[in-house]
Amino acid sequence: MAAPRYSRIGERPNGPSATLIIVGSLLVGALLIGAWVLTAPAAIAGGDEGTAMNTADTKTPVDASDVPDTSTEEDIEKEAPADELPAEQDAEPATSEDTKEEPAPTTEGESSESVEENVEETTSETAEQKIPESVEEKTPKTDDSKLPDAINPDAELNTDNVELNSTKFETQADESQEEKVARGEEETSGTTPSEVQESVGDASKDELPEWKLCSFEGAQDYIPCLDNKAAIKKLTTTKHYEHRERHCPTEEELPKCLLPLPSNYKVPIKWPESRDAVWFSNVPHTELASYKSDQNWVKVSDNKQKLIFPGGGTQFKSEHGALHYIEYIEKIVPDISWGKHVRTLLDVGCGVASFGGYLFDRNVLAMSLAPKDEHEAQIQFALERGIPAINSVMGTQRLVFPSNVYDVVHCARCRVPWEIEGGMLLLELNRLLRPGGFFIWSATPVYWDNEEDTKIWNDTSDLLSRMQWTMLTRSIDPETKVGVAIFQKPKDNDLYALRSPDALPPFCEDDDKPDAAWYVPMKACMHKIPSGEGVRGTSWPADWPLRVESTPTWLSSTEAGVYGKPAAEDFRSDTDHWKRVVHKSYMQGLGIDWTSVRKVMDMKAGYGGFAAALITLPLWTMNIVPVTEPDTLPIIFDRGLIGMYHDWCEPHSTYPRSYDVMHSDHLLSTLTKRCKTVNVLMEMDRILRPDGWAIFRDSADIMVQVEAIVKTLHWDIVLSSAQGEAKLLVAQKKFWRPEAALESEP
């Protein structure tokens, strides 16, 4: 030890002994720590009577918008306090080469070493395996300057929202399987979860992976269920776009590797600027810009740094763009009333989703849908822009949504042959469209009079007439010369009573389940309008924005909901619960800069309470209802939100690096008997963008495994907190990719 400056070696200064000084310092330190523990504000409220954060005494996370985008870790370590940070500059975000791994998170008064010791102490007793030494050495750490002074998430884990086995809601897996059995149909591609044998065993005992980098052709944009070349080669026909549908590899066939990043990948441009421009390096595809050069879809900037989206499209390519088109639609049919009466919309054949992007200005939430086809990366462009979009095709299978949920279905030059196959594709829209909802069709058959277009118009309008849809208008915009036809689905069954018994298309069988949508083939039949007291679909939801918190009128006040209370009360309780969690915990206690968040995926959405609690922020949430969970997706749509069905034992159909935040609330523990946790985490790594966030809430048992896997992925663990049987883990994905390569083809 170095000698004090005031003494020389061998001399003793006047004053108290060193021993007394050390003992006194320890006593004073202990008293100060005790006082801090008693007075520190709680970050999160617990239960119904939780303690709110004292925001006056608590720091908020550093706003990333106040920091130049070119900062590296060395710069971050030298940052000034938040109140001295420079104003936002027009600098490019850090690239993967510029970004370095940061130290592990600590709360004020603790060193990173002490935090690691605490985490090891809480998990070592229950861990089934030891984390490899090489992983612990490489585990990235996070700078605690981005965290609030006091993070106390434990109380927030106390919640009454525990799912019960007894509920009125059937699962999508059971609905779909019952529908296929009733039809006498064999299993289509994919696996019905209810049939999967519980042969995986205890996922917590899986060995931790030694990750390799996927190096096969097209790896950086790989979508396992859409790029399964081996399965596609075995198809006997592609007449109905079977090759664009999902064909998922088994767990054994799935490549066990992490996808590479595009060269010079950057943190995405923030919304709303991203609607008009994205980094070219993030989605380096130019074919669409060339192919659609005359239609205002997308252009490459002069300096080759960005892709520019002028707001046009095939059907609104003039200088007026999508916004003028949106205004014209409401002008010719005022009852549409964007953002009030109409909130949810399905855009079929969406292109790069400019229509959906500009509908945000009208408080309309559009689900943009298109296949992964020769229109290269159109859905990837949409997602990079910050617009809700999914890869899907109107082929042979029902779309992954429940019946009677969309306020509007829109098709602008979507290239869908509505009139063929007995009108099967249009009848699928009839299944999805809410009673009284609108079908907006803007395509050349509406306003061109050549022989081909005239025939398509006559055949399609005749089919719509036999479906009893009312044509409200067929108009041509005098400024753009583009035509629009708008139809309305019946609000009740009165018009159907006028049909003859042998009219086509026929009604579906009475036992047909219109909500069954997981690998269920389409059928050329028409579902009747729901009827009866307390039945979903008999009334239109409340106007937006009241809709998001209004209890659906069809929810029972006596039958049990997901969490055991009567369904209507259950819904309201869940809404209040997520308000508390989000505002008292997620917004203040996790260190996430929500100004950088645009795209959120809730992996197990329940009633949609988490998404509803985020509704005031400039972001949107893709609400996933797992097919093995109670089917609450109709409720989510009724409150003006969007979502889809999915089985997390299969890869999702979205592009890599699509989402900013992924939220997993008591999901992983429900999957351990059917699939491996490590594969679900690998899929999350595929979906989540670098610097994106994952929030896990689950039982302590499964979270031991999750935390171990997260460390192998080199994500920064910002928060790991347990209370009783529950645990909260918050992690940030970084730019790290493995050095070793896996070259085998999937």
Side-chain angles (χ1 to χ4, degrees), residues 378-416:
Q378 54 188 335
I379 293 299
Q380 190 176 25
F381 286 152
L383 288 165
E384 185 72 14
R385 297 174 71 187
I387 302 168
I390 61 170
N391 284 304
S392 189
V393 64
M394 298 202 72
T396 68
Q397 297 174 3
R398 287 179 176 177
L399 299 178
V400 287
F401 312 113
S403 65
N404 303 305
V405 291
Y406 281 104
D407 304 341
V408 168
V409 176
H410 173 260
C411 159
R413 293 286 285 273
C414 57
R415 297 171 55 190
V416 177

Side-chain angles (χ1 to χ4, degrees), residues 508-584:
C508 299
E509 299 293 333
D510 291 341
D511 61 353
D512 184 279
K513 292 180 173 291
D515 290 336
W518 190 245
Y519 292 117
V520 173
M522 291 184 192
K523 194 173 181 180
C525 65
M526 187 167 58
H527 294 94
K528 291 184 178 179
I529 305 297
S531 61
E533 186 176 352
V535 175
R536 180 176 71 83
T538 56
S539 62
W540 197 274
D543 284 349
W544 185 264
L546 297 178
R547 180 170 170 174
V548 71
E549 291 193 10
S550 297
T551 305
T553 56
W554 53 273
L555 281 183
S556 173
S557 58
T558 56
E559 294 180 293
V562 175
Y563 306 114
K565 299 175 182 176
E569 182 183 349
D570 220 29
F571 171 87
R572 291 188 290 269
S573 176
D574 182 74
T575 298
D576 293 341
H577 161 71
W578 283 110
K579 279 185 181 178
R580 290 195 304 271
V581 171
V582 167
H583 295 292
K584 295 182 179 180

Side-chain angles (χ1 to χ4, degrees), residues 20-65:
L20 290 176
I21 292 174
I22 292 171
V23 172
S25 299
L26 290 173
L27 289 173
V28 171
L31 290 172
L32 289 174
I33 291 173
W36 178 81
V37 170
L38 291 173
T39 60
I44 300 167
D48 292 336
E49 302 294 332
T51 304
M53 172 181 280
N54 182 351
T55 55
D57 297 332
T58 308
K59 296 179 183 178
T60 57
V62 175
D63 186 347
S65 65

Side-chain angles (χ1 to χ4, degrees), residues 205-226:
K205 296 180 181 179
D206 293 339
E207 293 184 5
L208 293 175
E210 293 285 345
W211 294 112
K212 292 185 178 181
L213 188 69
C214 303
S215 59
F216 49 82
E217 183 181 359
Q220 72 180 26
D221 292 331
Y222 178 56
I223 304 175
C225 292
L226 299 183

Side-chain angles (χ1 to χ4, degrees), residues 41-43 53-67 79-85 106 108 143-151 582-595 693 718:
M53 172 181 280
N54 182 351
T55 55
D57 297 332
T58 308
K59 296 179 183 178
T60 57
V62 175
D63 186 347
S65 65
D66 292 334
V67 185
E79 281 179 359
D83 57 352
E84 298 177 12
L85 289 172
T106 61
E108 185 173 325
D143 182 2
D144 67 331
S145 66
K146 294 184 179 180
L147 297 179
D149 285 342
I151 295 181
V582 167
H583 295 292
K584 295 182 179 180
S585 169
Y586 287 14
M587 290 296 118
Q588 305 182 57
L590 304 187
I592 298 175
D593 173 19
W594 288 92
T595 67
W693 295 83
V718 175

Side-chain angles (χ1 to χ4, degrees), residues 72 94-100 261 263-265 735:
T72 64
T95 67
S96 56
E97 295 177 357
D98 297 328
T99 307
K100 301 180 181 179
L261 299 177
S263 178
N264 200 34
Y265 180 90
F735 282 79

